Amino acid sequence: MKPISPMKIMSKTVKISRYILVGMLCASMSSCDDFVFGNVSINDEENPLIQKKTPSSGAEIYYGVEEGQHRLPVNKDADVSNPDPKGAFANWYTCLVMFKEGHSHYGGKMHGNAVYTKAAWRQEQFAEVHNTKSGIPEIVMDRHSIRTYLEAQRGEEGPAYFRIIGGASKLWALCLYFYDKEGKLLNDSILAHSDEYQIFFSISDVDDKKQQYKVMDVRYRDKMPATGVIDGEEADCFRDKDSFEERQKMTPQLFDYTYRDTWTHQDMGDGVRDFFNIRLLPPLTNKDADKAHAEDQDCIGLKGHFKFDCTDYESGLDEREWPLPLSGRGFSTIYKRQTYLLPKFYLAIRVMKCPKGKKAVVPVKYSANSPYRCAPFYDPNPLSGWTEIIRINVPIKIYTNTFDSDPTNIDPYEPFYYHISREIGLSPEDAFEYVFSNSGSGGLGFDAWFL
């Protein structure tokens, strides 16, 4: 008998092993048809698309247990106001606020930028908001999370406001994490009762102490100091517009907000498909994602992103010539692009509640510019019977704008880089070099983050 070659034996062994493996898989299901034709269902809680084995943002480890990290905000004896005693915000005590830098993936989707510790600005910034007996929340800015690496090296403290870079190429996520007095995260409970709540965002008429303030323009002028962090001058387009109604009306000229709320607090992992994980208005469920449209979205406001793009005429187009000559071509030239408002203001975060069944009263064809069933982010519909239960006013400074740079002739003295230099205390030349040399060093990751 002719001996069988080792290769043939190995080939037959591999084939047999494959048959055994397929047989085992088929046997483990109700029928081989399910295996062959892909009729396999995965429990939502075991879906690998929404499993997060590692933190994807600093907010997830903000209240950690390791040495040097924060602790859960627990104060069982705190004497606080309770504006929603039988609702999802009952006994709320702390709200962790995170602004996170990112960029658009279109279709309303945002991808968070990687976090670099040595960058010229912070990609993630935090504040803690505490409920009080008076009902006026206490804003505690985490100034360490706002100061840059360079400022930390100089022993400086970060500012008491969020630093935001404006422009169409930047998106800034705002994520809100509400905790009760026992340190329990309330977000899933809020989502479960989303038919009663929506968070609205607008330019505030008062500051965090409920005192009136002026919206400032921090753009450099020729009469202003050339260095140092300053508040600038009152913004021309906000003069004599001090009421909440007037500033609410101007809000869309200053920023745009996109709701990106999910079915549960954790399932925020897929930024590829338009409505995968995006919460829909009842009676739609997460099974209806493939056929959902924008007007089907259930807007709450725990997760979403802003575009601070103050570049239309009504928001403060500034025709005054940039006062500093450029230097990059070896001879002095004047920056010729139009310049825009750089506002410093308070953002009003308004948690509002309505009776069940009254939230989605806005028709699909509400207007040509607002095809929502839920009300627009800045304008609660009075037909819903909204009541404001919580209002948080956080300070924001749009200190530079990506539009203020000519990509064909970047220069340390054009507005984008010059304003960065003034904000972080460097010469324009050093700031220009710092932006490019440290933008990708000392990374913490956190770039696998979608909203």
Side-chain angles (χ1 to χ4, degrees), residues 191-224:
L191 290 168
H193 297 86
S194 65
D195 57 336
E196 298 177 74
Y197 300 95
Q198 187 171 341
I199 302 175
F200 294 90
F201 306 91
S202 57
I203 306 164
S204 181
D205 57 329
V206 293
D207 62 16
D208 59 325
K209 304 293 191 301
K210 283 201 169 182
Q211 302 297 313
Q212 284 197 326
Y213 74 99
K214 299 294 185 183
V215 177
M216 307 300 287
D217 182 6
V218 302
R219 179 175 295 281
Y220 172 73
R221 310 294 183 195
D222 55 350
K223 296 180 181 180
M224 293 161 58

Side-chain angles (χ1 to χ4, degrees), residues 347-401:
L347 172 69
I349 302 172
R350 305 170 69 204
V351 180
M352 305 194 76
K353 186 174 184 178
C354 69
K356 281 182 174 291
K358 293 290 187 178
K359 177 178 181 178
V361 299
V362 182
V364 177
K365 301 298 182 182
Y366 180 66
S367 76
N369 298 319
S370 217
Y372 304 106
R373 287 181 183 169
C374 289
F377 69 89
Y378 66 99
D379 190 16
N381 192 315
L383 295 178
S384 293
W386 292 107
T387 299
E388 183 180 286
I389 59 173
I390 302 170
R391 178 166 170 180
I392 300 169
N393 299 315
V394 296
I396 291 178
K397 180 179 180 181
I398 315 297
Y399 70 97
T400 194
N401 190 307

Side-chain angles (χ1 to χ4, degrees), residues 425-440:
L426 288 177
S427 70
E429 292 83 1
D430 288 343
F432 185 81
E433 176 65 26
Y434 190 78
V435 167
F436 288 101
S437 62
N438 292 283
S439 60

